[in-house]
Amino acid sequence: MAEAHQAVGFRPSLTSDGGEAELSAPVLQEIYVSGLRSWKRHLSRFWNDFLTGVFPASPLSWLFLFSAIQLAWFLQLDPSLGLMEKIKELLPDWGGQHHRLRGVLAAALFASCLWGALILTLHIALRLLLSYHGWLLEPHGAMSSPTKTWLALVRIFSGRHPMLFSYQRSLPRQPVPSVQDTVRKYLESVRPVLSDEDFDWTAGLAQEFLKLQASLLQWYLRLKSWWASNYVSDWWEEFVYLRSRNSLMVNSNYYMMDFLYVTPTPVQAARAGNAVHALLLYRHRLNRQEILPTLLMGMRPLCSAQYEKIFNTTRIPGIQKDHIRHLRDSRHVAVFHRGRFFRVGTHSQSGLLSPRALEQQFQRILDDPSPACPHEEHLAALTAAPRDMWAQVRRSLKTRAGDALEAVEGAAFFVSLDSEPAGLAREDPAASLDAYAHALLAGRGHDRWFDKSFSLMVFSNGKLGLSVEHSWADCPISGHMWEFTLATECFHLGYSADGHCKGHPDPSLPHPQRLHWDLPDKIHLSISLALRGAKTLSGNIDCHVFPFSHFGKSFIKRCHLSSDSFIQMALQLAHFRDRGQFCLTYESTMTRLFLEGRTETVRSCTREACNFDPQCLALFRVAVDKHQALLKAAMSGQGVDRHLFALYIVSQFLHLQSPFLDQVHSEQWQLATSQIPVQQVHLFDVHNYPDYVSSGGGFGPADDHGYGVSYIFMGDDTITFHISSKKSSTKTDSHRLGQHIEDALLDVASLFQEGQRLKRGCRGLGQDDSGHRCGSLPCHTRGSRAPTTSANF
């Protein structure tokens, strides 16, 4: 998602003043530090690792094994084949009366060793099984005999009732691809967008790189892959996110929307109370590891490491780089309303506050008539400022207003009670949705704390939304939390008939604590500058959201195609019609098949996509198959961009100049795309309550003259698109691209519909001789639209 913007143009070898930064350290030292970070993380969660590390066994299995050995010993059988007698001889001699105790200790030690060996064997076997990715490369909808056998073995070795982190010790490490394959795939990806002269020049740089530098850089990456948990993820987090000096607003953050067509209650405080309670219930389940790990095909586990930092997390600004501060617990949330900050406790002596008690606290804030102090109203704009500037100001702020700053940064998350309504309005649905997206992505520039892992936005009419900081985790993690929150606060917690949270208020609760900021004069100017910059960024972003309801996932499945590939090819057609040319396209996919994996880029603009003609079904299927192959390769660790990124970082450590890697690093992504996954379908009843589904979210464009496009499949028959661009660009228009996307989807669907008509021998698009409806599209989309052709399609 938003990492596409951050991945472009980062300058890893320079400080803010242009001097050499920490990258002058030897690369071996940096690899050592990477491994050290991995081991420190493992030690910090030792107890949880123990509980989940013995999975698929359990601590009780040791007791069972020990009891079995003792029973065999009582029956004068020796299952250890003499090993326990050897162990007894090594134990200290405490006298004859302790002979029985020595026997028990010997049995316990033997049981522990045997139990550990069995668990280690299970882990190794499961890791070897999970290293198999042949199932990804098989044709859509087909499953070979080896894959069926693999699935059966995974089922046997995976155990039952896993906890969130149960599979972490068994996940394979992300492999380092062959550098020759990566360069070949890169050249293949840029061929459609380069002239013959430019391509020949790039190919020459690539060959020079392979000849002179590739083997040395690859050696260091392989060394790191053996030592650290993941050869790329920690560098990705540091150099793409934490070392970026740009504003987080629009450039890095992304947003998640509420239900599109319904608002469970118009009472702002009630919606905030239920939502905050649901979020804290999710945190409780997270702490107890009661959240089930995500499984592909219902069997293949994904890495769960990113879940650890959802709550109690803040990105702290630094002069050269930021760092992520994560607390083990926090029993309050920070709340912003009309320029004022409050600390609201979330727990009492009896535990988590009820939704009704939280509603009462939020209502007290809404009813508080006290005005904001001078400059306090716009203080949060500092978190939208360039990071170096914010880091310098924060030092003064910490000295003069340390308690208030700690209350915000140490909160479980940030809550903004907005004074304006948002969401879909019947009077002007298109403009209202666009304004809703803009309010979540950028807002006023001073109404949320952009450093927090996420900010919950609650509007005056009860509409919700999230603004998420990107460095700590990727969209599927926050999306999983958001699905649980929406389903829980609406279906499980619910509201009374008058729109309030269920239950009774608690008058004994102390009022929310107003935070007071002692702002020195020198900070006033910084706040004004930050606010001006934030308003400029906010005013320049053009957001457009539209639900496409002509058809959805069910129709695409009936075409026997991947839903994601179908949309990506339609996006290529739409972008070509919008700009008259093809461009490098960034599609984010996950690499969580591997330990601590994050994302990889699918370069969706392929030669096959460019050759697609909207009047030829065969060419469309070829383009879709190519996209599927690229997507599966990226998911299985054989992508292009993360490998080239890691090679570039190593070259900077070694002070090796590579024109080829510099060329790769300078690329611009004029079309950045991402699908918002729906991960917990069981939480929503889309058949009886079709409007109660998440409408996804969006992010800013990766390039000043490009687009950011995300999409989500809402149920079976709707696809919601979120498009962003810069108003300052004369080349882009979010609404114009939205219209091209709609036309492209209908044209491609008409192509399949025509193929279906010819296959069945129909007289027309609507019915065959028996009156049977042969088309898969709704009636209002048929027969009225002819495919639109273009030069290269």
Side-chain angles (χ1 to χ4, degrees):
M1 289 182 65
E3 79 255 10
H5 186 282
Q6 298 298 95
V8 175
F10 68 95
R11 303 178 63 189
S13 62
L14 297 178
T15 66
S16 57
D17 60 0
E20 290 295 324
E22 297 174 16
L23 285 178
S24 59
V27 64
L28 286 175
Q29 178 181 343
E30 175 59 26
I31 291 175
Y32 168 76
V33 171
S34 293
L36 206 59
R37 284 195 293 261
S38 299
W39 288 108
K40 283 183 177 179
R41 284 195 297 271
H42 293 316
L43 290 174
S44 68
R45 52 179 187 253
F46 173 79
W47 179 243
N48 279 344
D49 275 356
F50 171 75
L51 293 177
T52 59
V54 300
F55 187 84
S58 70
L60 288 178
S61 63
W62 178 89
L63 183 61
F64 174 80
L65 184 61
F66 172 72
S67 301
I69 292 172
Q70 284 291 87
L71 178 62
W73 190 261
F74 176 77
L75 298 174
Q76 297 184 344
L77 300 174
D78 185 5
S80 69
L81 302 178
L83 284 177
M84 284 195 295
E85 287 294 338
K86 295 289 185 182
I87 295 174
K88 285 176 62 176
E89 294 175 3
L90 296 175
L91 292 174
D93 188 359
W94 296 303
Q97 67 272 25
H98 297 292
H99 179 75
R100 183 178 179 84
L101 176 61
R102 292 176 67 200
V104 173
L105 289 176
L109 288 172
F110 175 73
S112 299
C113 292
L114 181 60
W115 185 63
L118 291 173
I119 290 174
L120 181 62
T121 302
L122 287 173
H123 283 171
I124 293 174
L126 187 55
R127 179 173 291 189
L128 290 174
L129 287 170
L130 297 183
S131 299
Y132 170 74
H133 297 119
W135 58 277
L136 263 178
L137 306 178
E138 292 181 348
H140 186 69
M143 185 178 293
S144 64
S145 296
T147 296
K148 292 179 181 178
T149 304
W150 169 78
L151 275 176
L153 290 173
V154 170
R155 186 184 297 275
I156 293 172
F157 283 93
S158 290
R160 301 174 61 187
H161 309 299
M163 300 170 70
L164 178 61
F165 300 114
S166 291
Y167 295 110
Q168 292 301 100
R169 289 182 180 272
S170 301
L171 290 174
R173 299 191 180 195
Q174 186 167 337
V176 181
S178 162
V179 68
Q180 288 80 11
D181 286 346
T182 297
V183 171
R184 175 183 57 79
K185 292 176 182 177
Y186 169 79
L187 292 176
E188 180 183 346
S189 72
V190 298
R191 185 64 189 94
V193 298
L194 294 180
S195 65
D196 293 342
E197 181 180 354
D198 289 340
F199 179 78
D200 290 342
W201 179 73
T202 302
L205 294 180
Q207 293 305 314
E208 181 183 9
F209 168 71
L210 290 174
K211 185 185 303 182
L212 299 179
Q213 298 144 335
S215 59
L216 177 62
L217 303 182
Q218 183 79 346
W219 183 85
Y220 281 109
L221 282 190
R222 292 193 183 280
L223 177 64
K224 187 187 176 189
S225 71
W226 281 99
W227 171 242
S229 300
N230 191 289
Y231 85 92
V232 66
S233 289
D234 61 332
W235 283 351
W236 183 256
E237 178 182 293
E238 177 177 352
F239 294 109
V240 170
Y241 292 115
L242 300 183
R243 285 185 181 266
S244 171
R245 303 292 83 197
N246 295 325
S247 168
L248 299 185
M249 188 176 80
V250 177
N251 298 318
S252 179
N253 72 312
Y254 58 93
Y255 66 87
M256 306 291 291
M257 272 189 174
D258 193 2
F259 300 124
L260 197 61
Y261 298 111
V262 294
T263 306
T265 176
V267 182
Q268 183 178 17
R271 194 79 196 279
N274 258 7
V276 169
H277 187 85
L279 286 165
L280 294 173
L281 286 178
Y282 187 88
R283 186 180 69 168
H284 178 72
R285 295 184 62 184
L286 180 64
N287 292 338
R288 294 171 60 90
Q289 296 191 38
E290 294 174 351
I291 297 171
L292 295 177
T294 303
L295 303 175
L296 289 185
M297 303 173 62
M299 191 61 60
R300 176 57 168 92
L302 302 183
C303 179
S304 301
Q306 295 180 49
Y307 283 91
E308 291 182 319
K309 296 178 181 177
I310 295 181
F311 298 94
N312 326 322
T313 298
T314 305
R315 176 171 169 173
I316 305 298
I319 298 300
Q320 294 181 5
K321 71 172 184 177
D322 300 350
H323 72 273
I324 296 176
R325 180 192 180 205
H326 173 68
L327 303 179
R328 289 195 174 274
D329 192 25
S330 178
R331 299 171 72 86
H332 74 277
V333 293
V335 182
F336 178 87
H337 174 59
R338 289 198 299 111
R340 305 160 304 162
F341 293 82
F342 296 85
R343 183 187 188 277
V344 176
T346 56
H347 292 70
S348 64
Q349 292 182 351
S350 59
L352 177 62
L353 292 181
S354 68
R356 189 66 180 88
L358 287 168
E359 176 189 347
Q360 169 188 298
Q361 297 296 74
F362 292 127
Q363 191 61 54
R364 285 173 170 176
I365 293 174
L366 293 172
D367 295 339
D368 187 337
S370 61
C373 297
H375 299 283
E376 179 189 16
E377 179 181 1
H378 302 140
L379 176 65
L382 290 170
T383 64
R387 304 306 288 173
D388 288 341
M389 171 186 170
W390 170 215
Q392 293 173 349
V393 176
R394 183 181 173 276
R395 291 178 179 177
S396 301
L397 197 62
K398 189 175 183 180
T399 302
R400 299 287 294 270
D403 291 343
L405 182 64
E406 177 59 26
V408 173
E409 294 183 341
F413 50 89
F414 194 80
V415 180
S416 179
L417 300 175
D418 202 291
S419 301
E420 300 294 330
L424 184 66
R426 293 183 178 180
E427 299 79 19
D428 193 348
S432 61
L433 278 182
D434 296 349
Y436 181 25
H438 186 277
L440 291 175
L441 180 61
R444 301 178 183 87
H446 64 84
D447 53 358
R448 72 207 67 181
W449 203 267
F450 285 98
D451 291 352
K452 291 300 294 180
S453 54
F454 68 89
S455 296
L456 174 68
M457 314 296 295
V458 188
F459 297 92
S460 63
N461 60 344
K463 214 65 182 173
L464 288 179
L466 284 187
S467 175
V468 188
E469 202 280 311
H470 207 320
S471 64
W472 59 275
D474 301 308
C475 177
I477 306 303
S478 55
H480 189 279
M481 174 193 71
W482 191 234
E483 289 174 0
F484 175 91
T485 301
L486 291 178
T488 300
E489 67 95 12
C490 184
F491 297 119
H492 296 284
L493 300 178
Y495 299 90
S496 60
D498 57 359
H500 292 280
C501 296
K502 295 178 179 179
H504 303 284
D506 184 0
S508 64
L509 281 178
H511 282 251
Q513 177 188 351
R514 173 77 183 273
L515 300 181
H516 297 284
W517 305 85
D518 182 10
L519 302 178
D521 293 339
K522 62 181 180 180
I523 290 183
H524 297 173
L525 178 59
S526 298
I527 294 175
S528 299
L529 291 175
L531 180 63
R532 186 185 309 168
K535 286 185 174 181
T536 300
L537 276 175
S538 177
N540 192 32
I541 195 72
D542 180 25
C543 295
H544 180 46
V545 179
F546 73 96
F548 179 86
S549 56
H550 298 290
F551 63 85
K553 182 166 56 177
S554 60
F555 167 76
I556 301 175
K557 284 185 176 180
R558 288 197 294 271
C559 296
H560 303 289
L561 293 172
S562 160
S563 301
D564 182 65
S565 297
F566 186 99
I567 300 299
Q568 286 292 327
M569 293 307 101
L571 289 178
Q572 290 299 314
L573 174 58
H575 185 270
F576 181 85
R577 290 172 174 174
D578 181 77
R579 298 288 295 272
Q581 62 183 15
F582 296 103
C583 70
L584 285 175
T585 303
Y586 187 109
E587 181 191 1
S588 179
T589 191
M590 60 87 183
T591 54
R592 289 169 57 210
L593 292 171
F594 307 102
L595 182 62
E596 297 185 9
R598 290 202 58 163
T599 61
E600 178 59 275
T601 305
V602 180
R603 293 174 167 244
S604 303
C605 181
T606 62
R607 183 179 304 177
E608 289 78 5
C610 297
N611 290 336
F612 157 57
D613 187 315
Q615 292 182 324
C616 180
L617 184 59
L619 289 177
F620 183 81
R621 290 191 179 276
V622 169
V624 165
D625 290 344
K626 177 63 177 180
H627 178 266
Q628 272 291 289
L630 293 177
L631 177 64
K632 293 175 179 179
M635 290 177 60
S636 59
Q638 301 299 315
V640 172
D641 288 88
R642 298 304 176 268
H643 188 201
L644 291 176
F645 161 80
L647 290 169
Y648 180 73
I649 294 299
V650 175
S651 73
Q652 295 298 301
F653 279 123
L654 298 176
H655 300 287
L656 290 179
Q657 291 298 317
S658 170
F660 171 69
L661 293 178
D662 290 340
Q663 165 70 14
V664 173
H665 166 61
S666 65
E667 289 176 341
Q668 300 296 319
W669 302 97
Q670 293 186 8
L671 181 59
T673 69
S674 179
Q675 179 186 165
I676 308 295
V678 178
Q679 304 168 79
Q680 302 170 89
V681 181
H682 63 279
L683 295 180
F684 303 92
D685 186 353
V686 296
H687 298 290
N688 294 323
Y689 302 97
D691 292 338
Y692 285 85
V693 290
S694 173
S695 50
F699 53 92
D703 182 70
D704 288 342
H705 299 287
Y707 292 105
V709 180
S710 68
Y711 48 95
I712 184 172
F713 293 94
M714 297 173 57
D716 290 331
D717 300 309
T718 303
I719 313 167
T720 299
F721 289 87
H722 300 252
I723 306 171
S724 66
S725 60
K726 296 288 184 69
K727 294 179 181 178
S728 58
S729 173
T730 59
K731 301 178 181 179
T732 57
D733 185 309
S734 296
H735 293 74
R736 186 181 68 210
L737 181 65
Q739 185 60 57
H740 285 309
I741 290 174
E742 184 172 2
D743 291 343
L745 287 171
L746 291 173
D747 287 348
V748 173
S750 297
L751 179 63
F752 277 89
Q753 190 179 28
E754 178 67 12
Q756 186 81 337
R757 183 186 68 81
L758 294 175
K759 181 178 179 180
R760 297 187 181 185
C762 300
R763 294 179 176 178
L765 293 179
Q767 296 179 339
D768 59 17
D769 291 331
S770 63
H772 173 70
R773 287 179 59 188
C774 64
S776 298
L777 295 177
C779 299
H780 63 272
T781 67
R782 292 203 198 99
S784 60
R785 184 179 295 273
T788 304
T789 59
S790 57
N792 292 335
F793 277 84

